[in-house]
Structures are given as C-alpha cells and as structure tokens.
Amino acid sequence: MTTHFTEVPVLDISALRDGSGPGYDAAVHALGAAARNVGFAQIVGHGVDPELFAALLERTRAFFALPEEDKHRVYIGHSSNHRGYVPPGEEVFSAGTVDAKEAFDVSLDLPADDPRYLAGNPLLGPNQWPELPGFRDAVTAWYDAVFALSRTLLRAFAVALGEPADRFDRHVTAPPSQLRLIHYPFDPDAADRPGIGAHTDYECFTLLRPTAPGLEVLNTAGDWIDVPLIDDAFVLNIGDLLEIWTNGAFVATTHRVRKVSTERYSFPLFVNVDYDTEVAPLPTFAGNGNPPRPAVVAGEHLFAQTAQSFRYLQQRVAQGEVTLPEGAHPLSTFGRKAVGVN
C-alpha cells in the first residue's frame, strides 16, 4: 500500500536512457520508490522532441474543431477493434459518471490483412484515420516516440523489481498500447467536480502529456492530491497489470480529472504487453504469507474493462454480439477502492 503522500514526485530519468552509466542505479531506485509509495510520478529528462508534441497538439486541435459530421465518420463504434472518435457521453465509469470530454483513440497500426485482426481480435488491427492533412503523420510520430520511451521505462521497472532488464521484453512484440487524444472543452460555468470519473488504468503503466491542470490522485488517507502542470513533463502512473505482477507492491493508484473551466487537451499512452500475455505475480512477490493475486490475460483484461465502460460495447454485450472474457474483473477492482478507501 502506498503511504499518505501529499505530492507527486518529480524524477529526472535522463540516466535511464543509456541503460547503464553514472546515475542509472539511483534513477532506477527513485522510479521503484515512486511506484511503491505513490503509484505516480512526473518525469523529466525523457528526451522526447518537443516539436513532436507541438505538431500533435496542432493537428489534434484541428481534428476536434471539425464539424460533428466529419468526426463521426470515424466514430469508434464503426470499428471492430476499438479505434476512432469517442463523442461526449460515450464513456461511463463505475460510479455512473458520464465524461464531459471527447477523444480519438489509436493503437499499434497493424495492416488490415494481419491474421489476428482477420481472426476477430477485439483490440488489434488497423486504425481509423480522418481525412485531415498531417493528422496521421503527427499522431504516428508521437506514438512512436513515446512508445520507445515506454520500452526504456519498462526495462527500468524490471530492474527495480530485482529482475533482469529484459524480463518483460518477450511480451512486447505487438501490444495493444493505446494512445488517446482527449479534449475537455472550455466551460466557463464548470463546477469544481470530476470531469472524468475516478478509476485506475488497465494496462502496465501510463505516460501522459496534459496541456492544463486538473489531474488528481487519491492517497490512503482518502485525500485527492493535485498533480501540478510541469512544462514538458510526462505524468507516469502504475496500472492494473503491474499491480498484479508485483502482487500489490506497486499500486494502480486511483485518479480522476477535476472539471475546470480551462480548455484542456490530454494525451495518455496506455502501455501494455502483448494481448495473450498471462500476467501473474512474480515469484519474488507471491510468498511470505502474501497470497498471490489471480492471474489475468493482458488483452482480455483490457477488453473486459473497456467493454464495461463504453456504451457502444455495452450494447454489443447486451445484444450477444460480444462476450466478456470468463472471470472478467468488474470496473474499479484495483487501486484505492481495492484496499478499502473510498
């Protein structure tokens, strides 16, 4: 369980980028401590070109400024692998809160003749792309750069857990790591209440670039702690899968977005492992009277959580077109609510 933290640590990860050398061990230790004690960190020294973010933001603004008819041409419900435009009200969290946001979701862009897509995998395959000049190029460049950063961090997490640096590499060949482009519209009458419901993230960890404040995380005292905006920093948070792999040593800390009047864009990459990866507590964390948590299949867990929180998938489940994986966790199983803090 994490401590009653009152702020989110800021970590310089420049020493992690070479995988060795002066400062590497200290940077790994700091990353592991943040994962254990807070579940969140802000990271600087990441090496991602700021011009890539500028291009992404410019093209994202252009997309969300399109007429509703144009955006709905790539509505996520038109896809069979959960890619495309997410209109306001489409996504609902466990407490029944409806988000005052819109989004565009992409993932690893596999060809349409990929055998996993043809076999009906619900999360793998090609992206939907709008007819907007430069959009696909800007989004893809950002995705590739942040995905490369995530590989560096995944290796550092392995070392922080006492494992070889390449412990998780075998599970990252074509993962459904999703990038979301999220738009919170300007609302001059916004009340100080959640704009996106309290939740944990379903994957290993998340790398987030926001353009405005509003993110809050929950500590064990039940207090919501603000995550201040730091220019050019990524917000990193632990997800459900690393909580399972570490048998709770790393906690998928519950978080939410407070409703603010400022227009806000947010770009989380949800870092996952391959769809068929079985995630179970590592032997180091499963003994000493600490019962092992039940294993999950990474892609099945992600799809089950997604299908319970998107209206179009809820309808497909209700109509028998889609079936939840056996033993699927209900929403809000992990993180603070899982350890008894409301």
Side-chain angles (χ1 to χ4, degrees):
M1 185 185 298
T2 57
T3 58
H4 295 341
F5 61 88
T6 58
E7 61 183 8
V8 172
V10 179
L11 308 179
D12 186 335
I13 64 162
S14 53
L16 298 179
R17 287 157 50 197
D18 292 334
S20 61
Y24 180 79
D25 290 344
V28 166
H29 176 78
L31 183 68
R36 289 180 172 89
N37 298 328
V38 182
F40 265 77
Q42 299 219 58
I43 60 172
V44 297
H46 48 73
V48 176
D49 186 348
E51 291 187 4
L52 294 178
F53 185 68
L56 173 73
L57 182 57
E58 191 274 332
R59 289 292 79 197
T60 297
R61 284 179 170 144
F63 172 75
F64 287 120
L66 290 173
E68 293 301 312
E69 179 182 357
D70 291 348
K71 290 186 287 189
H72 276 83
R73 288 195 180 100
V74 287
Y75 170 54
I76 198 165
H78 296 159
S79 75
S80 61
N81 59 334
H82 196 64
R83 316 287 177 92
Y85 175 62
V86 181
E90 176 67 41
E91 195 173 0
V92 181
F93 285 91
S94 60
T97 55
V98 177
D99 283 339
K101 72 173 193 307
E102 56 183 343
F104 187 85
D105 293 357
V106 302
S107 193
L108 184 66
D109 201 9
L110 298 174
D113 61 356
D114 185 279
R116 291 160 294 192
Y117 175 65
L118 295 176
N121 187 292
L123 296 175
L124 297 177
N127 291 320
Q128 291 195 87
W129 295 107
E131 294 182 4
L132 180 65
F135 181 82
R136 180 173 184 168
D137 289 344
V139 172
T140 300
W142 179 256
Y143 186 100
D144 291 346
V146 182
F147 184 78
L149 173 62
S150 78
R151 298 297 303 274
T152 296
L153 288 163
L154 192 59
R155 293 173 70 86
F157 276 126
V159 176
L161 294 171
E163 298 284 332
D166 63 356
R167 170 62 181 81
F168 301 117
D169 285 357
R170 74 195 77 166
H171 303 304
V172 186
T173 62
S177 295
Q178 183 187 64
L179 172 65
R180 307 200 76 191
L181 321 179
I182 304 175
H183 176 221
Y184 300 86
F186 172 70
D187 182 358
D189 301 317
D192 188 15
R193 60 185 178 84
I196 182 171
H199 64 288
T200 62
D201 293 341
Y202 315 137
E203 300 83 354
C204 292
F205 60 94
T206 302
L207 290 169
L208 166 73
R209 279 293 304 272
T211 64
L215 180 64
E216 298 179 324
V217 301
L218 188 66
N219 70 9
T220 53
D223 300 322
W224 287 102
I225 307 301
D226 181 65
V227 181
L229 182 69
I230 298 178
D231 186 46
D232 199 38
F234 282 91
V235 180
L236 180 152
N237 65 274
I238 302 301
D240 297 348
L241 297 187
L242 275 180
E243 181 173 304
I244 296 172
W245 249 321
T246 63
N247 210 29
F250 290 2
V251 176
T253 301
T254 300
H255 52 285
R256 70 184 185 186
V257 175
R258 188 179 69 254
K259 206 171 186 186
V260 295
S261 59
T262 306
E263 183 177 38
R264 183 176 186 269
Y265 293 88
S266 178
F267 302 92
L269 177 70
F270 300 100
V271 180
N272 213 335
V273 287
D274 291 339
Y275 189 96
D276 294 329
T277 303
E278 183 180 64
V279 178
L282 296 165
T284 307
F285 298 93
N288 301 320
N290 189 15
R293 301 191 179 197
V296 300
V297 175
E300 290 182 356
H301 175 66
L302 172 56
F303 180 69
Q305 301 297 291
T306 303
Q308 293 175 81
S309 56
F310 279 76
R311 293 188 186 279
Y312 87 95
L313 284 171
Q314 291 173 350
Q315 293 172 0
R316 291 180 185 179
V317 170
Q319 294 166 359
E321 300 172 10
V322 169
T323 303
L324 293 181
E326 185 177 351
H329 287 277
L331 288 176
S332 199
T333 300
F334 292 83
R336 293 292 162 223
K337 296 183 185 302
V339 295
V341 178
N342 297 317

